[in-house]
Amino acid sequence: MQIQENISLLPHNTFRMDVRARYWAEYGSTDELRDLLQRFADIPKLFIGQGSNLLFTKDYDGIILHSSMARARAVNETRDEVYIEAQSGLVLDQLIEQLCDMNLYGLENLSHIPGETGAAAVQNVGAYGTEAKDAISEVQALDTTTLQPCTLTHADCHFGYRDSVFKHEAAGRYVITSVTFRLSKQAVCHLDYGNLREALPANPTPTDIRNAVIRIRQSKLPEVSQTGSAGSFFKNPVVAQETADTLLSKHPAMPYYKQTDGIKIPAAWLIEQAGCKRLTAGDAGVYEHQPLVIVNRGNATPDNVMRLAQMIQERVEEQFGISLQREVIYI
Ligand SMILES: Cc1cc2nc3c(=O)[nH]c(=O)nc-3n(C[C@H](O)[C@H](O)[C@H](O)COP(=O)(O)OP(=O)(O)OC[C@H]3O[C@@H](n4cnc5c(N)ncnc54)[C@H](O)[C@@H]3O)c2cc1C
């Protein structure tokens, strides 16, 4: 176990906000995690992965806890499927690379999404027509109220669009220690999203799909190693059919996608149409290849990012009457 005091969070958030935390701790086992929770019972706590979906709005006056448990193992196998339990601190993309090498289908469309396995379940990460929930079988956690390990079934997790029980009813209650995924030995491919299919050979392997996804993502999204960001800043709004009809009568070119719960409108289109593409606040700006992403062009402060986000929300609301909800979590 490693505990540090008054540390810079610059290396621990992909937005590259230069703020500090009172304490930072790495735990390598559930017992160490339990010890930390008991020892620091009276101060605020944040469980963190790679900090790729967060905006630190100020210094953190509490303890930030990070899992260094990063192994994966097969826990069950049937004729058609393999169940892999991956520990929360394992980088999701490393796990996906290993699964693709094993020729297992299920997570390849989520290649190159930053972050760790624990957070992938919290966020129900999604890309190219699939979401983590499609492959998650169950989640193992430590219940902070009882300090006992527990298992949440897929149904217990209440997965939704970039959403799960871990962000609402049970926010702060469970620390995810591992996630069990159900992977297919047979080719079960999801290639109908965007231009994925045309980038692939017939009968693609998981690695073919992974490589194509990575190439497409690299052409559209900033690389965390080069540019500070937290990916999509806003969620794509889902509106009622009547709202969509009214908007379409005014903006016939508006793209939209029918969902079971309403009509999804790409937030990137709304942001671009509202004239936000060139908006800046200090060193915070809108990414030129994808207006849904706010980037740190050097020394952006939390205030710069929050101000820019607010300007975008106000302009979209004014022009379309739609209130954009943040995907990025403010801490
Ligand atoms: C360039 C870029 C591209 C991106 N593209 C996508 C994309 O295509 N699709 C997508 O869905 N997301 C995308 N994201 C967002 C981000 O990668 C995901 O949300 C990812 O799951 C965050 O992982 P993390 O480990 O960095 O989590 P963090 O940002 O550290 O944490 C996210 C949340 O999970 C909680 N948490 C973390 N670990 C645990 C744990 N062990 N137990 C309990 N709670 C925990 C945190 O408290 C926080 O609430 C992108 C981000 C960037 C920077």
Side-chain angles (χ1 to χ4, degrees), residues 14 46-54 88 113-116 118-120 122-123 125-127 162 174-176 217 222 224 229-231 327 329:
T14 58
L46 173 70
F47 307 108
I48 202 171
Q50 288 190 326
S52 66
N53 203 47
L54 304 174
S88 53
I113 296 180
E116 295 173 0
V122 175
Q123 300 294 111
V125 291
R162 301 294 176 276
Y174 298 110
V175 193
I176 296 178
R217 287 182 68 95
V224 286
S229 89
E327 185 174 323
I329 302 160

PDB file of all heavy atoms in Angstrom, residues 14 46-54 88 113-116 118-120 122-123 125-127 162 174-176 217 222 224 229-231 327 329, ligand 1:
ATOM      1  N   THR A  14      -6.691  13.149 -17.495  1.00  0.00           N
ATOM      2  CA  THR A  14      -6.332  13.348 -18.904  1.00  0.00           C
ATOM      3  C   THR A  14      -6.628  14.765 -19.385  1.00  0.00           C
ATOM      4  O   THR A  14      -6.166  15.153 -20.456  1.00  0.00           O
ATOM      5  CB  THR A  14      -7.064  12.329 -19.806  1.00  0.00           C
ATOM      6  OG1 THR A  14      -8.479  12.496 -19.612  1.00  0.00           O
ATOM      7  CG2 THR A  14      -6.667  10.896 -19.486  1.00  0.00           C
ATOM      8  N   LEU A  46     -12.458   9.716  -3.182  1.00  0.00           N
ATOM      9  CA  LEU A  46     -12.769   9.572  -4.603  1.00  0.00           C
ATOM     10  C   LEU A  46     -12.057   8.322  -5.101  1.00  0.00           C
ATOM     11  O   LEU A  46     -10.846   8.178  -4.914  1.00  0.00           O
ATOM     12  CB  LEU A  46     -12.274  10.806  -5.383  1.00  0.00           C
ATOM     13  CG  LEU A  46     -12.394  10.699  -6.904  1.00  0.00           C
ATOM     14  CD1 LEU A  46     -13.860  10.746  -7.347  1.00  0.00           C
ATOM     15  CD2 LEU A  46     -11.619  11.824  -7.599  1.00  0.00           C
ATOM     16  N   PHE A  47     -12.810   7.414  -5.741  1.00  0.00           N
ATOM     17  CA  PHE A  47     -12.210   6.232  -6.354  1.00  0.00           C
ATOM     18  C   PHE A  47     -11.935   6.598  -7.799  1.00  0.00           C
ATOM     19  O   PHE A  47     -12.836   7.043  -8.511  1.00  0.00           O
ATOM     20  CB  PHE A  47     -13.168   5.038  -6.245  1.00  0.00           C
ATOM     21  CG  PHE A  47     -13.611   4.820  -4.828  1.00  0.00           C
ATOM     22  CD1 PHE A  47     -14.908   5.124  -4.420  1.00  0.00           C
ATOM     23  CD2 PHE A  47     -12.700   4.382  -3.884  1.00  0.00           C
ATOM     24  CE1 PHE A  47     -15.297   4.964  -3.101  1.00  0.00           C
ATOM     25  CE2 PHE A  47     -13.080   4.224  -2.556  1.00  0.00           C
ATOM     26  CZ  PHE A  47     -14.378   4.517  -2.162  1.00  0.00           C
ATOM     27  N   ILE A  48     -10.684   6.416  -8.209  1.00  0.00           N
ATOM     28  CA  ILE A  48     -10.311   6.920  -9.535  1.00  0.00           C
ATOM     29  C   ILE A  48      -9.690   5.814 -10.377  1.00  0.00           C
ATOM     30  O   ILE A  48      -9.134   4.842  -9.837  1.00  0.00           O
ATOM     31  CB  ILE A  48      -9.312   8.111  -9.387  1.00  0.00           C
ATOM     32  CG1 ILE A  48      -9.309   8.990 -10.633  1.00  0.00           C
ATOM     33  CG2 ILE A  48      -7.912   7.625  -9.042  1.00  0.00           C
ATOM     34  CD1 ILE A  48      -8.525  10.291 -10.474  1.00  0.00           C
ATOM     35  N   GLY A  49      -9.837   5.955 -11.701  1.00  0.00           N
ATOM     36  CA  GLY A  49      -9.129   5.082 -12.629  1.00  0.00           C
ATOM     37  C   GLY A  49      -7.998   5.908 -13.234  1.00  0.00           C
ATOM     38  O   GLY A  49      -7.079   6.318 -12.525  1.00  0.00           O
ATOM     39  N   GLN A  50      -8.130   6.205 -14.546  1.00  0.00           N
ATOM     40  CA  GLN A  50      -7.117   7.057 -15.188  1.00  0.00           C
ATOM     41  C   GLN A  50      -7.538   8.526 -15.203  1.00  0.00           C
ATOM     42  O   GLN A  50      -6.885   9.341 -15.862  1.00  0.00           O
ATOM     43  CB  GLN A  50      -6.869   6.586 -16.617  1.00  0.00           C
ATOM     44  CG  GLN A  50      -6.098   5.283 -16.682  1.00  0.00           C
ATOM     45  CD  GLN A  50      -5.650   4.960 -18.087  1.00  0.00           C
ATOM     46  OE1 GLN A  50      -6.342   5.272 -19.071  1.00  0.00           O
ATOM     47  NE2 GLN A  50      -4.502   4.325 -18.203  1.00  0.00           N
ATOM     48  N   GLY A  51      -8.658   8.848 -14.571  1.00  0.00           N
ATOM     49  CA  GLY A  51      -9.114  10.237 -14.575  1.00  0.00           C
ATOM     50  C   GLY A  51      -9.407  10.734 -15.982  1.00  0.00           C
ATOM     51  O   GLY A  51      -9.158  11.893 -16.309  1.00  0.00           O
ATOM     52  N   SER A  52      -9.976   9.861 -16.835  1.00  0.00           N
ATOM     53  CA  SER A  52     -10.214  10.262 -18.230  1.00  0.00           C
ATOM     54  C   SER A  52     -11.667  10.659 -18.484  1.00  0.00           C
ATOM     55  O   SER A  52     -12.035  10.935 -19.625  1.00  0.00           O
ATOM     56  CB  SER A  52      -9.800   9.141 -19.188  1.00  0.00           C
ATOM     57  OG  SER A  52     -10.618   8.009 -19.023  1.00  0.00           O
ATOM     58  N   ASN A  53     -12.466  10.688 -17.418  1.00  0.00           N
ATOM     59  CA  ASN A  53     -13.834  11.169 -17.610  1.00  0.00           C
ATOM     60  C   ASN A  53     -14.187  12.205 -16.551  1.00  0.00           C
ATOM     61  O   ASN A  53     -15.343  12.430 -16.244  1.00  0.00           O
ATOM     62  CB  ASN A  53     -14.821   9.997 -17.543  1.00  0.00           C
ATOM     63  CG  ASN A  53     -16.100  10.311 -18.262  1.00  0.00           C
ATOM     64  OD1 ASN A  53     -16.070  10.806 -19.378  1.00  0.00           O
ATOM     65  ND2 ASN A  53     -17.222  10.074 -17.624  1.00  0.00           N
ATOM     66  N   LEU A  54     -13.151  12.832 -16.007  1.00  0.00           N
ATOM     67  CA  LEU A  54     -13.333  13.751 -14.884  1.00  0.00           C
ATOM     68  C   LEU A  54     -12.833  15.135 -15.228  1.00  0.00           C
ATOM     69  O   LEU A  54     -11.914  15.284 -16.034  1.00  0.00           O
ATOM     70  CB  LEU A  54     -12.455  13.310 -13.710  1.00  0.00           C
ATOM     71  CG  LEU A  54     -12.569  11.911 -13.143  1.00  0.00           C
ATOM     72  CD1 LEU A  54     -11.479  11.738 -12.089  1.00  0.00           C
ATOM     73  CD2 LEU A  54     -13.935  11.707 -12.540  1.00  0.00           C
ATOM     74  N   SER A  88     -10.083  -4.323 -11.386  1.00  0.00           N
ATOM     75  CA  SER A  88     -10.506  -2.948 -11.695  1.00  0.00           C
ATOM     76  C   SER A  88      -9.404  -2.049 -12.220  1.00  0.00           C
ATOM     77  O   SER A  88      -9.654  -1.151 -13.008  1.00  0.00           O
ATOM     78  CB  SER A  88     -11.111  -2.314 -10.439  1.00  0.00           C
ATOM     79  OG  SER A  88     -10.203  -2.436  -9.359  1.00  0.00           O
ATOM     80  N   ILE A 113     -10.499   3.097 -26.058  1.00  0.00           N
ATOM     81  CA  ILE A 113     -11.158   4.012 -25.119  1.00  0.00           C
ATOM     82  C   ILE A 113     -10.235   4.109 -23.908  1.00  0.00           C
ATOM     83  O   ILE A 113      -9.845   3.083 -23.348  1.00  0.00           O
ATOM     84  CB  ILE A 113     -12.545   3.496 -24.684  1.00  0.00           C
ATOM     85  CG1 ILE A 113     -13.497   3.435 -25.884  1.00  0.00           C
ATOM     86  CG2 ILE A 113     -13.143   4.392 -23.594  1.00  0.00           C
ATOM     87  CD1 ILE A 113     -14.903   2.930 -25.538  1.00  0.00           C
ATOM     88  N   PRO A 114      -9.850   5.328 -23.499  1.00  0.00           N
ATOM     89  CA  PRO A 114      -8.978   5.432 -22.328  1.00  0.00           C
ATOM     90  C   PRO A 114      -9.685   4.910 -21.073  1.00  0.00           C
ATOM     91  O   PRO A 114     -10.912   4.821 -21.028  1.00  0.00           O
ATOM     92  CB  PRO A 114      -8.718   6.940 -22.204  1.00  0.00           C
ATOM     93  CG  PRO A 114      -9.109   7.524 -23.516  1.00  0.00           C
ATOM     94  CD  PRO A 114     -10.174   6.633 -24.073  1.00  0.00           C
ATOM     95  N   GLY A 115      -8.903   4.613 -20.054  1.00  0.00           N
ATOM     96  CA  GLY A 115      -9.500   4.263 -18.765  1.00  0.00           C
ATOM     97  C   GLY A 115      -9.280   2.823 -18.361  1.00  0.00           C
ATOM     98  O   GLY A 115      -8.740   2.014 -19.121  1.00  0.00           O
ATOM     99  N   GLU A 116      -9.721   2.511 -17.154  1.00  0.00           N
ATOM    100  CA  GLU A 116      -9.503   1.196 -16.569  1.00  0.00           C
ATOM    101  C   GLU A 116     -10.809   0.406 -16.505  1.00  0.00           C
ATOM    102  O   GLU A 116     -11.898   0.957 -16.688  1.00  0.00           O
ATOM    103  CB  GLU A 116      -8.873   1.374 -15.179  1.00  0.00           C
ATOM    104  CG  GLU A 116      -7.484   2.006 -15.318  1.00  0.00           C
ATOM    105  CD  GLU A 116      -6.830   2.378 -14.002  1.00  0.00           C
ATOM    106  OE1 GLU A 116      -7.435   2.161 -12.933  1.00  0.00           O
ATOM    107  OE2 GLU A 116      -5.694   2.897 -14.060  1.00  0.00           O
ATOM    108  N   GLY A 118     -12.526  -1.032 -14.026  1.00  0.00           N
ATOM    109  CA  GLY A 118     -13.554  -0.706 -13.030  1.00  0.00           C
ATOM    110  C   GLY A 118     -14.458   0.407 -13.530  1.00  0.00           C
ATOM    111  O   GLY A 118     -15.692   0.310 -13.481  1.00  0.00           O
ATOM    112  N   ALA A 119     -13.841   1.474 -14.035  1.00  0.00           N
ATOM    113  CA  ALA A 119     -14.623   2.617 -14.512  1.00  0.00           C
ATOM    114  C   ALA A 119     -15.452   2.270 -15.748  1.00  0.00           C
ATOM    115  O   ALA A 119     -16.518   2.852 -15.970  1.00  0.00           O
ATOM    116  CB  ALA A 119     -13.699   3.787 -14.829  1.00  0.00           C
ATOM    117  N   ALA A 120     -14.979   1.296 -16.543  1.00  0.00           N
ATOM    118  CA  ALA A 120     -15.742   0.922 -17.744  1.00  0.00           C
ATOM    119  C   ALA A 120     -17.135   0.437 -17.354  1.00  0.00           C
ATOM    120  O   ALA A 120     -18.119   0.662 -18.081  1.00  0.00           O
ATOM    121  CB  ALA A 120     -14.990  -0.155 -18.519  1.00  0.00           C
ATOM    122  N   VAL A 122     -18.662   1.408 -14.408  1.00  0.00           N
ATOM    123  CA  VAL A 122     -19.356   2.586 -13.848  1.00  0.00           C
ATOM    124  C   VAL A 122     -19.972   3.394 -14.988  1.00  0.00           C
ATOM    125  O   VAL A 122     -21.141   3.783 -14.947  1.00  0.00           O
ATOM    126  CB  VAL A 122     -18.353   3.494 -13.076  1.00  0.00           C
ATOM    127  CG1 VAL A 122     -19.030   4.775 -12.605  1.00  0.00           C
ATOM    128  CG2 VAL A 122     -17.738   2.753 -11.902  1.00  0.00           C
ATOM    129  N   GLN A 123     -19.173   3.619 -16.016  1.00  0.00           N
ATOM    130  CA  GLN A 123     -19.583   4.490 -17.124  1.00  0.00           C
ATOM    131  C   GLN A 123     -20.425   3.761 -18.165  1.00  0.00           C
ATOM    132  O   GLN A 123     -21.012   4.397 -19.021  1.00  0.00           O
ATOM    133  CB  GLN A 123     -18.338   5.031 -17.841  1.00  0.00           C
ATOM    134  CG  GLN A 123     -17.415   5.850 -16.964  1.00  0.00           C
ATOM    135  CD  GLN A 123     -18.105   7.111 -16.542  1.00  0.00           C
ATOM    136  OE1 GLN A 123     -18.431   7.290 -15.374  1.00  0.00           O
ATOM    137  NE2 GLN A 123     -18.390   7.976 -17.482  1.00  0.00           N
ATOM    138  N   VAL A 125     -19.124   2.233 -20.720  1.00  0.00           N
ATOM    139  CA  VAL A 125     -18.501   2.867 -21.892  1.00  0.00           C
ATOM    140  C   VAL A 125     -19.074   2.284 -23.175  1.00  0.00           C
ATOM    141  O   VAL A 125     -19.474   1.110 -23.217  1.00  0.00           O
ATOM    142  CB  VAL A 125     -16.953   2.718 -21.895  1.00  0.00           C
ATOM    143  CG1 VAL A 125     -16.320   3.521 -20.798  1.00  0.00           C
ATOM    144  CG2 VAL A 125     -16.523   1.259 -21.834  1.00  0.00           C
ATOM    145  N   GLY A 126     -19.116   3.114 -24.192  1.00  0.00           N
ATOM    146  CA  GLY A 126     -19.681   2.648 -25.453  1.00  0.00           C
ATOM    147  C   GLY A 126     -18.981   3.272 -26.645  1.00  0.00           C
ATOM    148  O   GLY A 126     -18.425   4.370 -26.547  1.00  0.00           O
ATOM    149  N   ALA A 127     -18.967   2.544 -27.748  1.00  0.00           N
ATOM    150  CA  ALA A 127     -18.429   3.062 -29.005  1.00  0.00           C
ATOM    151  C   ALA A 127     -18.784   2.088 -30.124  1.00  0.00           C
ATOM    152  O   ALA A 127     -18.891   0.890 -29.893  1.00  0.00           O
ATOM    153  CB  ALA A 127     -16.907   3.220 -28.928  1.00  0.00           C
ATOM    154  N   ARG A 162     -24.207   5.478 -20.918  1.00  0.00           N
ATOM    155  CA  ARG A 162     -23.096   6.021 -20.097  1.00  0.00           C
ATOM    156  C   ARG A 162     -23.535   6.106 -18.621  1.00  0.00           C
ATOM    157  O   ARG A 162     -23.246   7.089 -17.940  1.00  0.00           O
ATOM    158  CB  ARG A 162     -22.679   7.416 -20.569  1.00  0.00           C
ATOM    159  CG  ARG A 162     -22.223   7.519 -21.971  1.00  0.00           C
ATOM    160  CD  ARG A 162     -20.917   6.771 -22.253  1.00  0.00           C
ATOM    161  NE  ARG A 162     -20.637   6.864 -23.670  1.00  0.00           N
ATOM    162  CZ  ARG A 162     -21.168   6.031 -24.558  1.00  0.00           C
ATOM    163  NH1 ARG A 162     -21.945   5.041 -24.182  1.00  0.00           N
ATOM    164  NH2 ARG A 162     -20.891   6.173 -25.836  1.00  0.00           N
ATOM    165  N   TYR A 174     -20.219   1.414  -3.612  1.00  0.00           N
ATOM    166  CA  TYR A 174     -19.413   0.255  -4.000  1.00  0.00           C
ATOM    167  C   TYR A 174     -18.089   0.690  -4.627  1.00  0.00           C
ATOM    168  O   TYR A 174     -18.065   1.556  -5.495  1.00  0.00           O
ATOM    169  CB  TYR A 174     -20.151  -0.587  -5.047  1.00  0.00           C
ATOM    170  CG  TYR A 174     -21.458  -1.148  -4.543  1.00  0.00           C
ATOM    171  CD1 TYR A 174     -22.669  -0.662  -5.024  1.00  0.00           C
ATOM    172  CD2 TYR A 174     -21.464  -2.162  -3.590  1.00  0.00           C
ATOM    173  CE1 TYR A 174     -23.867  -1.175  -4.557  1.00  0.00           C
ATOM    174  CE2 TYR A 174     -22.663  -2.677  -3.124  1.00  0.00           C
ATOM    175  CZ  TYR A 174     -23.858  -2.187  -3.613  1.00  0.00           C
ATOM    176  OH  TYR A 174     -25.035  -2.690  -3.151  1.00  0.00           O
ATOM    177  N   VAL A 175     -16.998   0.057  -4.207  1.00  0.00           N
ATOM    178  CA  VAL A 175     -15.735   0.207  -4.926  1.00  0.00           C
ATOM    179  C   VAL A 175     -15.605  -1.049  -5.775  1.00  0.00           C
ATOM    180  O   VAL A 175     -15.564  -2.167  -5.228  1.00  0.00           O
ATOM    181  CB  VAL A 175     -14.520   0.273  -3.983  1.00  0.00           C
ATOM    182  CG1 VAL A 175     -13.304   0.748  -4.763  1.00  0.00           C
ATOM    183  CG2 VAL A 175     -14.797   1.137  -2.790  1.00  0.00           C
ATOM    184  N   ILE A 176     -15.563  -0.877  -7.066  1.00  0.00           N
ATOM    185  CA  ILE A 176     -15.486  -2.049  -7.948  1.00  0.00           C
ATOM    186  C   ILE A 176     -14.081  -2.647  -7.845  1.00  0.00           C
ATOM    187  O   ILE A 176     -13.083  -1.921  -7.946  1.00  0.00           O
ATOM    188  CB  ILE A 176     -15.826  -1.649  -9.400  1.00  0.00           C
ATOM    189  CG1 ILE A 176     -17.285  -1.169  -9.453  1.00  0.00           C
ATOM    190  CG2 ILE A 176     -15.576  -2.808 -10.362  1.00  0.00           C
ATOM    191  CD1 ILE A 176     -17.749  -0.709 -10.798  1.00  0.00           C
ATOM    192  N   ARG A 217     -10.740   5.982 -34.809  1.00  0.00           N
ATOM    193  CA  ARG A 217     -10.716   6.853 -33.619  1.00  0.00           C
ATOM    194  C   ARG A 217      -9.559   7.854 -33.703  1.00  0.00           C
ATOM    195  O   ARG A 217      -9.717   9.017 -33.340  1.00  0.00           O
ATOM    196  CB  ARG A 217     -10.583   6.010 -32.350  1.00  0.00           C
ATOM    197  CG  ARG A 217     -11.840   5.248 -31.980  1.00  0.00           C
ATOM    198  CD  ARG A 217     -11.644   4.484 -30.690  1.00  0.00           C
ATOM    199  NE  ARG A 217     -11.516   5.397 -29.562  1.00  0.00           N
ATOM    200  CZ  ARG A 217     -12.526   5.767 -28.777  1.00  0.00           C
ATOM    201  NH1 ARG A 217     -13.730   5.301 -28.985  1.00  0.00           N
ATOM    202  NH2 ARG A 217     -12.335   6.604 -27.786  1.00  0.00           N
ATOM    203  N   PRO A 222      -8.823  13.324 -30.078  1.00  0.00           N
ATOM    204  CA  PRO A 222      -7.472  13.674 -29.639  1.00  0.00           C
ATOM    205  C   PRO A 222      -6.819  12.508 -28.903  1.00  0.00           C
ATOM    206  O   PRO A 222      -7.502  11.749 -28.223  1.00  0.00           O
ATOM    207  CB  PRO A 222      -7.704  14.851 -28.679  1.00  0.00           C
ATOM    208  CG  PRO A 222      -9.130  14.753 -28.262  1.00  0.00           C
ATOM    209  CD  PRO A 222      -9.875  14.035 -29.338  1.00  0.00           C
ATOM    210  N   VAL A 224      -4.742  11.081 -25.910  1.00  0.00           N
ATOM    211  CA  VAL A 224      -4.512  11.580 -24.550  1.00  0.00           C
ATOM    212  C   VAL A 224      -3.042  11.894 -24.297  1.00  0.00           C
ATOM    213  O   VAL A 224      -2.714  12.758 -23.503  1.00  0.00           O
ATOM    214  CB  VAL A 224      -5.033  10.629 -23.448  1.00  0.00           C
ATOM    215  CG1 VAL A 224      -6.519  10.662 -23.338  1.00  0.00           C
ATOM    216  CG2 VAL A 224      -4.548   9.221 -23.634  1.00  0.00           C
ATOM    217  N   SER A 229      -7.904  16.260 -22.641  1.00  0.00           N
ATOM    218  CA  SER A 229      -9.365  16.253 -22.834  1.00  0.00           C
ATOM    219  C   SER A 229      -9.941  15.145 -21.956  1.00  0.00           C
ATOM    220  O   SER A 229      -9.191  14.372 -21.358  1.00  0.00           O
ATOM    221  CB  SER A 229      -9.749  15.983 -24.297  1.00  0.00           C
ATOM    222  OG  SER A 229      -9.875  14.606 -24.552  1.00  0.00           O
ATOM    223  N   ALA A 230     -11.267  15.069 -21.918  1.00  0.00           N
ATOM    224  CA  ALA A 230     -11.900  13.932 -21.237  1.00  0.00           C
ATOM    225  C   ALA A 230     -12.884  13.274 -22.202  1.00  0.00           C
ATOM    226  O   ALA A 230     -13.928  12.764 -21.799  1.00  0.00           O
ATOM    227  CB  ALA A 230     -12.582  14.376 -19.959  1.00  0.00           C
ATOM    228  N   GLY A 231     -12.553  13.307 -23.502  1.00  0.00           N
ATOM    229  CA  GLY A 231     -13.429  12.704 -24.511  1.00  0.00           C
ATOM    230  C   GLY A 231     -14.690  13.552 -24.691  1.00  0.00           C
ATOM    231  O   GLY A 231     -14.666  14.773 -24.483  1.00  0.00           O
ATOM    232  N   GLU A 327     -21.362  14.668 -19.910  1.00  0.00           N
ATOM    233  CA  GLU A 327     -20.900  13.290 -19.697  1.00  0.00           C
ATOM    234  C   GLU A 327     -19.735  13.326 -18.705  1.00  0.00           C
ATOM    235  O   GLU A 327     -19.568  12.419 -17.885  1.00  0.00           O
ATOM    236  CB  GLU A 327     -20.451  12.684 -21.028  1.00  0.00           C
ATOM    237  CG  GLU A 327     -20.065  11.230 -20.904  1.00  0.00           C
ATOM    238  CD  GLU A 327     -19.743  10.562 -22.232  1.00  0.00           C
ATOM    239  OE1 GLU A 327     -20.399  10.869 -23.255  1.00  0.00           O
ATOM    240  OE2 GLU A 327     -18.819   9.732 -22.242  1.00  0.00           O
ATOM    241  N   ILE A 329     -17.599  14.192 -15.489  1.00  0.00           N
ATOM    242  CA  ILE A 329     -18.002  14.355 -14.082  1.00  0.00           C
ATOM    243  C   ILE A 329     -17.179  15.477 -13.452  1.00  0.00           C
ATOM    244  O   ILE A 329     -15.947  15.462 -13.519  1.00  0.00           O
ATOM    245  CB  ILE A 329     -17.750  13.028 -13.319  1.00  0.00           C
ATOM    246  CG1 ILE A 329     -18.529  11.877 -13.985  1.00  0.00           C
ATOM    247  CG2 ILE A 329     -18.116  13.150 -11.854  1.00  0.00           C
ATOM    248  CD1 ILE A 329     -18.000  10.493 -13.636  1.00  0.00           C
TER     249      ILE A 329
HETATM  250  C1  LIG B   1      -9.836  10.903 -25.792  1.00  0.00           C
HETATM  251  C2  LIG B   1     -10.947  10.247 -25.053  1.00  0.00           C
HETATM  252  C3  LIG B   1     -11.847   9.454 -25.739  1.00  0.00           C
HETATM  253  C4  LIG B   1     -12.903   8.823 -25.061  1.00  0.00           C
HETATM  254  N1  LIG B   1     -13.772   8.044 -25.767  1.00  0.00           N
HETATM  255  C5  LIG B   1     -14.786   7.418 -25.134  1.00  0.00           C
HETATM  256  C6  LIG B   1     -15.690   6.589 -25.861  1.00  0.00           C
HETATM  257  O1  LIG B   1     -15.554   6.379 -27.066  1.00  0.00           O
HETATM  258  N2  LIG B   1     -16.715   6.012 -25.175  1.00  0.00           N
HETATM  259  C7  LIG B   1     -16.880   6.194 -23.836  1.00  0.00           C
HETATM  260  O2  LIG B   1     -17.836   5.639 -23.266  1.00  0.00           O
HETATM  261  N3  LIG B   1     -16.033   6.970 -23.119  1.00  0.00           N
HETATM  262  C8  LIG B   1     -14.987   7.583 -23.733  1.00  0.00           C
HETATM  263  N4  LIG B   1     -14.131   8.378 -23.017  1.00  0.00           N
HETATM  264  C9  LIG B   1     -14.369   8.601 -21.579  1.00  0.00           C
HETATM  265  C10 LIG B   1     -13.552   7.683 -20.641  1.00  0.00           C
HETATM  266  O3  LIG B   1     -12.508   7.067 -21.324  1.00  0.00           O
HETATM  267  C11 LIG B   1     -14.438   6.611 -19.999  1.00  0.00           C
HETATM  268  O4  LIG B   1     -15.501   7.197 -19.273  1.00  0.00           O
HETATM  269  C12 LIG B   1     -13.645   5.687 -19.056  1.00  0.00           C
HETATM  270  O5  LIG B   1     -14.467   4.624 -18.605  1.00  0.00           O
HETATM  271  C13 LIG B   1     -13.100   6.402 -17.819  1.00  0.00           C
HETATM  272  O6  LIG B   1     -12.186   5.513 -17.206  1.00  0.00           O
HETATM  273  P1  LIG B   1     -11.191   6.008 -16.085  1.00  0.00           P
HETATM  274  O7  LIG B   1     -10.470   4.797 -15.585  1.00  0.00           O
HETATM  275  O8  LIG B   1     -10.342   7.097 -16.590  1.00  0.00           O
HETATM  276  O9  LIG B   1     -12.219   6.540 -14.999  1.00  0.00           O
HETATM  277  P2  LIG B   1     -12.194   7.879 -14.135  1.00  0.00           P
HETATM  278  O10 LIG B   1     -12.363   9.048 -15.059  1.00  0.00           O
HETATM  279  O11 LIG B   1     -11.018   7.881 -13.248  1.00  0.00           O
HETATM  280  O12 LIG B   1     -13.516   7.682 -13.271  1.00  0.00           O
HETATM  281  C14 LIG B   1     -14.802   7.709 -13.886  1.00  0.00           C
HETATM  282  C15 LIG B   1     -15.870   7.415 -12.812  1.00  0.00           C
HETATM  283  O13 LIG B   1     -15.728   6.081 -12.353  1.00  0.00           O
HETATM  284  C16 LIG B   1     -15.536   6.052 -10.933  1.00  0.00           C
HETATM  285  N5  LIG B   1     -14.620   4.944 -10.653  1.00  0.00           N
HETATM  286  C17 LIG B   1     -13.409   4.702 -11.217  1.00  0.00           C
HETATM  287  N6  LIG B   1     -12.894   3.542 -10.765  1.00  0.00           N
HETATM  288  C18 LIG B   1     -13.793   3.031  -9.884  1.00  0.00           C
HETATM  289  C19 LIG B   1     -13.854   1.856  -9.070  1.00  0.00           C
HETATM  290  N7  LIG B   1     -12.876   0.944  -9.074  1.00  0.00           N
HETATM  291  N8  LIG B   1     -14.945   1.661  -8.281  1.00  0.00           N
HETATM  292  C20 LIG B   1     -15.960   2.569  -8.260  1.00  0.00           C
HETATM  293  N9  LIG B   1     -15.965   3.707  -8.996  1.00  0.00           N
HETATM  294  C21 LIG B   1     -14.895   3.930  -9.797  1.00  0.00           C
HETATM  295  C22 LIG B   1     -14.953   7.414 -10.594  1.00  0.00           C
HETATM  296  O14 LIG B   1     -15.186   7.756  -9.229  1.00  0.00           O
HETATM  297  C23 LIG B   1     -15.723   8.287 -11.563  1.00  0.00           C
HETATM  298  O15 LIG B   1     -17.017   8.544 -11.054  1.00  0.00           O
HETATM  299  C24 LIG B   1     -13.058   9.007 -23.663  1.00  0.00           C
HETATM  300  C25 LIG B   1     -12.137   9.800 -22.962  1.00  0.00           C
HETATM  301  C26 LIG B   1     -11.082  10.415 -23.648  1.00  0.00           C
HETATM  302  C27 LIG B   1     -10.092  11.235 -22.879  1.00  0.00           C
END
